[in-house]
Every structure is written in structure tokens, then in C-alpha cells.
Amino acid sequence: MRFGLKVYIYTLFHILLHFYYILHMIKFDLEAIFDDIDESVALLPHRDTRRIEVQKILNGRMKRIVTWHISVFKAVEAVSSIYGPPLAYQVMFTSIAICLIAIQITQKLENGILDIRFTMLGVAACLQMWIPCYLGTLLRNKAFGVGEACWNSGWHQTPLGRMIRQDIIIVLLRAQQPVTIKFPGLQSIQLETFSSVIFNLYGYYYYYCLDG
């Protein structure tokens, strides 16, 4: 069971990081989309061979960006369908476990004993819930950053932007949709979810201390 949990967290960690770096590469491509292209070409007639050649170059660059961007959305949807149930199980039962661990540590402290094992177990339980939430937040913020990079590419300040304006607008609109791992009945996997769970746990723990 412990080995399976380690593999699960390790796999999810690398999958989310993979998506994160794909989005990072998209930002780099957007920043350099007009590099090494003469702006004056955009003012040439549509049938001019130089303009046609530049149009092919820009279309190729945008095609790669759009392909990567769509692949991230599809992949995150697949991850949500695969890892959604385990994440729901993890959040639900880890929250109960952390609460019970905190109670156990408190009872030991009342007797003047610091239970190292339960303390380490509590820290590990918090970490294994915090890691996917943290990565989910990184992924969400990086996905929104694609929209910012798209706007900051300067497409509205150069004549070349007219040649791929439709593609740019589509990417901008698509980038407004959050990239998050979610499952029916469960909040999106992000730091806000982790904070909410910890806050609720503290409430249960506080009421236990009052009753005690």
C-alpha cells in the first residue's frame, strides 16, 4: 500500500511537471513568434512569393503552439478521468487521517511525550496532499501565463500580426479557460483546496480540544 502510494504521487508529480514545461515552451514560442521575419513583408500583395513564404512560416509556428496548447487541455482531461477517483479518495481520507494524527499527538503531549512517529506521519500526510495541490496551482498559473505571453508577443503592434490575427485571438480565448485537475464532487486540485481542507481540519481539532 505504501509503495503504491509512493508510485502514485511520483507519477502524478512528473505528469504535472511535464504539462508545466510544455506550457513554458509555448510561452517561449509566443515570445519569439515574429523573430527573424521582416515586417515589411506584411505590406506586400497577398500573392507575392515572399509574403506567401512568410505566411507559411508563421502558420507553422502557430500550428505548433496551438497543437501543444490543445494537447495540454486534452491530457489534463485524461489525467482528471484517471487520477480523479484516487485524488478524491486521497483528499477525503487524508483529511481524516491528519485530524486523528493531530489528536494522537495532542494526547501524548498532555502526558509530556512527543510522539516522533506520529509527528513524522502527520507531516508526510500533509505533504502527500500538498504536492499535487501545489503542482495544480503551478499548472493553472502557467496556463494563464500563456494568454499573457500571447498578448505580450506584440502581435497588435506589428503588421505581421495581421497575418495570424485569427489564430492569436483563438489562443487568447482558449488561454482564459483554467487548466485544472478536477473530478465530480471534488474541488479543483490546487492550493485553495489544500487550504480549505486544512482549515476544516483545524475546526474539527479545535472542537475536539474544547470538548476535551
Side-chain angles (χ1 to χ4, degrees):
M1 177 67 179
R2 187 180 302 174
F3 176 76
L5 181 61
K6 289 180 180 179
V7 172
Y8 157 68
I9 295 294
Y10 179 82
T11 304
L12 184 61
F13 177 82
H14 280 277
I15 289 175
L16 294 181
L17 275 185
H18 176 68
F19 298 153
Y20 177 85
Y21 283 113
I22 288 179
L23 292 170
H24 200 60
M25 292 170 63
I26 292 174
K27 289 184 65 177
F28 278 138
D29 268 14
L30 285 169
E31 291 172 359
I33 193 167
F34 298 119
D35 286 1
D36 303 323
I37 297 179
D38 185 5
E39 292 185 358
S40 62
V41 174
L43 304 177
L44 296 174
H46 289 277
R47 295 185 179 181
D48 188 279
T49 54
R50 290 178 57 198
R51 181 187 172 95
I52 293 174
E53 188 65 28
V54 168
Q55 185 72 61
K56 289 181 180 179
I57 294 174
L58 290 175
N59 288 345
R61 293 179 180 181
M62 282 304 303
K63 181 180 179 181
R64 180 172 58 185
I65 290 171
V66 171
T67 300
W68 283 352
H69 202 210
I70 292 176
S71 70
V72 170
F73 277 92
K74 290 183 177 179
V76 170
E77 288 179 3
V79 168
S80 296
S81 63
I82 296 171
Y83 286 93
L87 283 173
Y89 169 86
Q90 175 183 340
V91 171
M92 181 173 60
F93 287 97
T94 299
S95 59
I96 298 173
I98 294 174
C99 188
L100 294 176
I101 290 170
I103 293 173
Q104 177 68 22
I105 294 173
T106 301
Q107 290 176 346
K108 291 284 187 177
L109 286 175
E110 289 175 352
N111 297 324
I113 301 173
L114 175 61
D115 196 319
I116 301 298
R117 290 184 179 179
F118 272 95
T119 301
M120 294 178 63
L121 185 61
V123 172
C126 289
L127 278 176
Q128 64 93 22
M129 185 168 61
W130 176 81
I131 289 174
C133 290
Y134 175 70
L135 291 176
T137 300
L138 281 182
L139 191 64
R140 180 197 63 188
N141 294 342
K142 181 62 71 172
F144 284 138
V146 169
E148 296 178 4
C150 192
W151 179 262
N152 294 331
S153 64
W155 65 278
H156 55 293
Q157 298 174 338
T158 173
L160 294 172
R162 304 172 191 169
M163 303 174 70
I164 53 172
R165 180 167 51 189
Q166 296 294 335
D167 297 327
I168 290 289
I169 292 175
I170 291 174
V171 173
L172 278 170
L173 292 175
R174 183 68 167 172
Q176 302 308 308
Q177 301 180 22
V179 178
T180 55
I181 298 176
K182 51 189 176 181
F183 187 73
L186 179 68
Q187 300 179 24
S188 299
I189 304 303
Q190 50 197 12
L191 286 178
E192 288 82 354
T193 303
F194 176 80
S195 300
S196 176
V197 171
I198 295 299
F199 179 79
N200 291 332
L201 287 177
Y202 178 76
Y204 299 145
Y205 175 75
Y206 178 75
Y207 284 122
Y208 166 80
C209 292
L210 287 180
D211 293 339

